[in-house]
């Protein structure tokens, strides 16, 4: 098996593993204890904190360890929102933030009586600075939250500009750096920073939360004397030491490894559209983290594609709907307005090899073909306009799940004359994204969506004009 | 070094360590992932859940894993309190519950607009059932929280009676079983159960939270799709597997090991008062968990005693004030109304040996002597009434920390005639406990405490009548 889902988490780094085992013997006791084992654990914890603080470029006393990256984000958002309730209660987030940021802000807004404001992004997933400017000018803002880079498509956010804008309004900036920590240096300008050790080769069960001195920050969770009251529960010293060790090791090599990864993702970016028909590579082509490459395949089911690739020996993830537990496409792809069907994210682990990437390219075409329903494979043959072309056509795809509505559209648009329209009735939420994306990719005109009434909130008629 | 602080946490059990290492290789991936590594992690997670559920005697789908025992308690209290806001908002807790229960209930009461009601305990730390009955009869109660056994003094709580009382009023019972899980079977009757893996030889970073089917329970934290939404963040599969392995191993041996530990703590309980003058052994002599034994030493500073024992090779903990980060005595000792100075908790690890306990008894007398200030050591010689005995005496111990006010009292009470009174002015919170305890232990009469005014809330005159 080749594991290409590093953005979800990596196996524990060998240096981290060694540190963990050593600390199981030396640092298992409570670091708040006065006896020898406790003092030893305290020394290890302090050393780990210094090491991580150096990488984050913050002071050791600005940094606490949490039980996960998720907790770091939750505590960061809740604590900052609560600390700032007097100054402002609008919580301004990028529309492609990680779901942990989204959910924490939703709760913080409900608790503090504020609102959650999503700043739109462009088609690459980059936050629109003019929209952020407007929000900051027009609202009493409690916090701005913008990730360092997007976890699904790899696009870097313009953090310097965001930090300047926020600072200009005296608003603290929370940066979720989970997608870039250990891969790239952290840009300055944040008030609160959150990260997750398992994304940099550390163990599961360690997050980092840094809060700059002078930031108003108030616990919105039960009191606890450890970690400055910002992270309840005992410090997991062995895991923290493993996390610090892995982060330090990677930070030292990140530039060199990153260059290698960039070559590999550029290879994927260049070759995939040549090898696979009807594919859309998403995310910024240049200004992105080096290890993530994402693409979507028209007419393919994301889940079927995942399983085909698994069978071929590759572990990747997908932001498509219909995968495992969710029936809606990823909110990231939705905010970008790109194709969501047959979506695949390749994220390279630290030790990724060129031959594995090449082999991935070898198996991909067959995997996509197998993940496209029979009907989609025949599409090209049936596409030409038939003799009985009409001026208008309605396709009832209600109750059909992605990618079926788009496949139907592709098969039957040949049945209307050039200049005629097709109305596709669909209630799969993915159609909102995928029908416009299909038009863009095939050169047809998307005229808009008409809701089908309040009783079926997800149902709409998608109107497409045939122009070629 | 001999580690006698198992109630704070134990080193990782060898079987747990082996399971952890195996799962680092086999179960490091996200168990929600569809690819092979994810499916493998899911299988390990499911197996661990089944194993723990069997020990807790609950269904696997009633059990979630959290990032710590602290989180399990926090989530248990917050979720239960929120789920029950319509039925009742009074949160009724034993007065000797763990601080994590106390703090979570404090926050839940503030959030939901309820009150936290503490049920008093007897001198052994056992909850007073008649007080619980009154609270349940007189209040709209959201939850009752009572631990399985007390973590500081080992006393078991009467959970069967508590569960019956709560059930009689239709009120759910939350049991913090951290002090007994892996040492004793869990009594039935709970609606929510919380525990901490590192107290049963599992790794730090794993808690268990079980919620019985049908219990009203509502997340009061950010939304997350994992672990039924009850525990945000990724499941730490290697650590969970290690926790389950350790719990299963210990449960199989707990009866036998417990018998051995009971012998050892009974040895301590019998010998300590013979070896050390002016000592009070606390906690129930019989109805208690087998591995915890706690005592307090008059005139000794808890911190000094900890450090003396550390020097002699023993790691123990203390509920005295003036240790490390706190200036108030443990709320457990305070609720019991027992001596808090020179307090030491011995809690035996799984592998405790008789020879280590015997050596502890060997070194204890010297350690206590060294931890008692010079003045306390001379006390016995100075105690007899002097020729110039007076009818009343005032000792100004304001600004003096425990154990000094009691030492002064002991030294100078000989200066008043029998039937005369001594007023000790003190503002150390420990004096509230320690002056009455001193009277009890030395056979003098404690008449009461008179506050010295609102400006100095901790200051009081403690009035003692000399009767011998």
């Amino acid at each position: 098996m080749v594991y290409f889902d590093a953005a979800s988490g990596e196996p524990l780094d060998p240096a981290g593993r060694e540190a963990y085992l050593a600390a199981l013997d030396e640092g298992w006791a409570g670091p708040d204890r006065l006896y020898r084992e406790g003092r030893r654990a305290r020394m290890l914890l302090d050393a780990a904190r210094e090491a991580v603080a150096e990488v984050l470029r913050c002071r050791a006393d600005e940094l606490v360890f949490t039980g996960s990256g998720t907790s770091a984000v939750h505590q960061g958002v809740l604590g900052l929102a609560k600390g700032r309730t007097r100054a402002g209660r609008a919580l301004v987030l990028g529309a492609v933030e990680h779901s942990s940021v989204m959910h924490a802000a939703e709760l913080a807004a409900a608790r503090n009586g504020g609102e959650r404001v999503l700043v739109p992004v462009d088609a690459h997933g980059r936050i629109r600075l003019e929209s952020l400017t407007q929000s900051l000018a027009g609202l009493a803002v409690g916090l701005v939250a913008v990730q360092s880079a997007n976890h699904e498509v790899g696009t870097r956010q313009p953090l310097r500009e965001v930090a300047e804008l926020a600072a200009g309004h005296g608003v603290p900036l929370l940066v979720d750096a989970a997608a870039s920590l250990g891969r790239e240096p952290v840009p300055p300008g944040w008030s609160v920073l959150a990260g997750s050790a398992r994304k940099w080769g550390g163990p599961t069960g360690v997050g980092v939360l840094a809060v700059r001195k002078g930031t108003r920050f108030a616990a919105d969770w039960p009191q606890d004397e450890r970690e400055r009251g910002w992270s309840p529960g005992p410090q997991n010293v062995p895991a923290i030491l493993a996390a610090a060790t892995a982060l330090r090791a990677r930070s030292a090599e990140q530039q060199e490894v990153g260059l290698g990864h960039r070559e590999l993702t550029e290879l994927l970016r260049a070759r995939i559209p040549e090898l696979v028909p009807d594919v859309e590579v998403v995310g910024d082509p240049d200004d992105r983290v080096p290890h993530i490459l994402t693409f979507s395949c028209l007419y393919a089911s994301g889940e079927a594609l995942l399983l085909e690739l698994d069978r071929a020996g590759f572990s990747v993830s997908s932001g498509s709907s219909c995968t495992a537990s969710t029936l809606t496409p990823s909110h990231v792809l939705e905010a970008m307005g790109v194709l969501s069907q047959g979506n695949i994210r390749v994220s390279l682990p630290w030790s990724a090899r060129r031959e594995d990437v090449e082999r991935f390219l070898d198996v991909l075409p067959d995997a996509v073909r197998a993940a496209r329903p029979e009907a989609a494979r025949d599409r090209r043959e049936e596409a030409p306009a038939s003799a009985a072309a009409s001026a208008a056509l309605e396709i009832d795809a209600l109750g059909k799940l992605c990618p079926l509505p788009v496949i139907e559209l592709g098969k039957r648009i040949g049945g209307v004359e050039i200049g005629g329209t097709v109305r596709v009735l669909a209630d799969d939420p993915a159609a909102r994204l995928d029908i416009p994306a299909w038009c863009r990719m095939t050169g047809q005109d998307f005229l808009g969506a008409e809701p089908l009434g309040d009783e079926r909130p997800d149902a709409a008629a998608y109107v497409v004009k045939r122009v070629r």
Side-chain angles (χ1 to χ4, degrees), chain A:
Chain A
M1 286 300 288
V2 174
Y3 182 73
F4 277 171
D5 193 22
S8 293
E10 287 204 48
L12 185 54
D13 177 274
R17 186 185 176 117
E18 208 172 300
Y20 185 88
L21 288 176
L24 270 187
D25 297 327
E26 294 291 313
W28 54 269
D32 51 346
R33 296 289 157 177
L34 295 179
Y35 43 72
R36 205 162 309 174
E37 296 92 337
R39 299 194 303 267
R40 229 161 44 190
R42 162 67 55 191
M43 280 175 51
L44 294 178
L45 178 61
D46 288 348
R49 201 186 306 274
E50 291 287 346
V52 175
E54 201 184 315
V55 174
L56 304 188
R57 296 188 232 160
C58 69
R59 292 165 39 167
D61 63 354
E62 293 174 325
L63 171 67
V64 301
F65 294 104
T66 67
S68 66
T70 306
S71 294
V73 163
H74 287 177
Q75 249 99 295
V77 171
L78 292 170
L80 196 48
K82 177 137 190 207
R84 288 269 304 170
T85 42
R86 284 189 196 180
R89 297 181 186 215
L91 309 177
V92 177
L93 325 178
V96 296
E97 291 298 304
H98 190 270
S99 58
S100 58
V101 177
M102 295 286 185
H103 291 317
E106 198 175 313
L107 180 64
R111 274 190 191 154
N112 303 323
E115 55 177 329
R116 199 186 69 170
V117 180
L118 299 186
V119 181
V121 296
D122 65 17
H124 288 325
R126 180 167 291 108
I127 195 171
R128 290 187 187 278
L129 290 172
E130 64 280 13
S131 297
L132 177 59
T133 306
Q134 279 171 18
S135 290
L136 282 165
L139 297 166
V141 176
L143 65 85
V144 169
V146 176
Q147 62 205 179
S148 55
N150 185 269
H151 51 295
E152 282 188 33
V153 301
T155 301
R156 287 196 199 112
Q157 298 297 344
L159 273 193
R160 281 175 195 281
E161 292 83 349
V162 169
E164 260 175 44
L165 282 172
H169 288 81
V171 172
L173 169 64
L174 180 146
V175 173
D176 166 15
S180 69
L181 263 180
R183 301 281 187 167
E184 299 199 313
V186 181
W190 49 268
S191 303
V192 174
L193 186 87
S196 167
R198 69 179 192 144
K199 310 218 166 170
W200 71 61
T204 305
V206 179
V208 294
L209 172 64
V211 181
R212 285 273 185 227
K213 285 271 166 246
T215 306
R216 281 189 188 281
F217 194 84
D220 196 15
W221 45 86
Q223 191 191 323
D224 192 290
E225 71 281 9
R226 291 160 290 197
E227 294 295 296
R228 315 189 62 182
W230 295 347
S231 176
Q235 296 103 333
N236 189 346
V237 176
I240 288 169
L241 202 77
T245 303
L247 183 60
R248 190 138 79 167
R250 295 215 165 169
S251 298
E253 296 173 16
Q254 70 188 5
Q255 201 171 3
E256 193 190 331
V257 171
L259 285 173
H261 285 176
R262 181 166 294 276
E263 268 179 34
L264 296 179
T265 50
E266 277 177 0
L267 178 67
L268 290 168
R269 176 172 278 275
R271 293 287 291 141
I272 288 172
E274 297 168 6
L275 294 167
V276 180
D278 299 317
V279 78
E280 186 171 54
V281 178
V282 296
D284 196 289
D286 300 310
D287 196 2
R288 58 182 175 81
V289 287
H291 62 298
I292 295 178
L293 195 279
T294 303
F295 58 96
S296 301
C297 305
L298 210 50
Y299 312 125
S301 135
E303 177 158 340
L305 189 45
L306 279 187
L307 294 176
E308 288 297 333
L309 287 168
D310 178 56
R311 209 166 297 155
F314 290 90
S315 302
V316 294
S317 81
S318 170
S320 293
S321 57
C322 317
T323 49
S325 54
T326 175
L327 284 172
T328 53
S330 121
H331 72 277
V332 171
L333 302 177
E334 183 150 15
M336 293 164 66
V338 295
L339 185 67
S340 82
Q341 58 191 217
N343 178 264
I344 291 294
R345 176 186 68 185
V346 173
S347 54
L348 303 177
W350 198 245
S351 56
R353 299 179 310 171
R354 186 174 187 98
E355 56 260 44
D356 291 331
V357 171
E358 284 168 352
R359 199 157 61 77
F360 179 80
L361 287 169
D362 288 345
V363 307
L364 183 64
D366 277 352
V368 175
R369 202 169 303 123
R372 285 176 168 158
E374 201 73 35
R377 282 174 243 167
D378 304 340
R379 187 188 51 84
R380 279 165 190 276
E381 289 69 54
E382 294 193 27
S386 71
S390 61
L393 175 69
E394 186 166 279
I395 298 174
D396 182 356
L398 291 167
K400 291 189 177 160
L401 291 181
C402 130
L404 294 178
V406 166
I407 291 174
E408 283 283 299
L409 172 59
K411 277 187 69 161
R412 297 182 57 191
I413 195 164
V416 299
E417 59 199 33
I418 288 181
T421 56
V422 183
R423 283 165 55 91
V424 184
L425 311 185
D427 50 10
D428 179 358
R432 280 202 302 270
L433 279 177
D434 292 344
I435 292 177
W438 179 88
C439 293
R440 201 170 58 240
M441 291 169 74
T442 58
Q444 307 294 0
D445 245 16
F446 179 65
L447 299 184
E450 300 158 6
L452 293 187
D454 292 345
E455 284 167 29
R456 314 177 67 175
D458 281 332
Y462 298 89
V463 187
V464 176
K465 182 176 170 187
R466 182 176 174 203
V467 294
R468 43 171 287 196

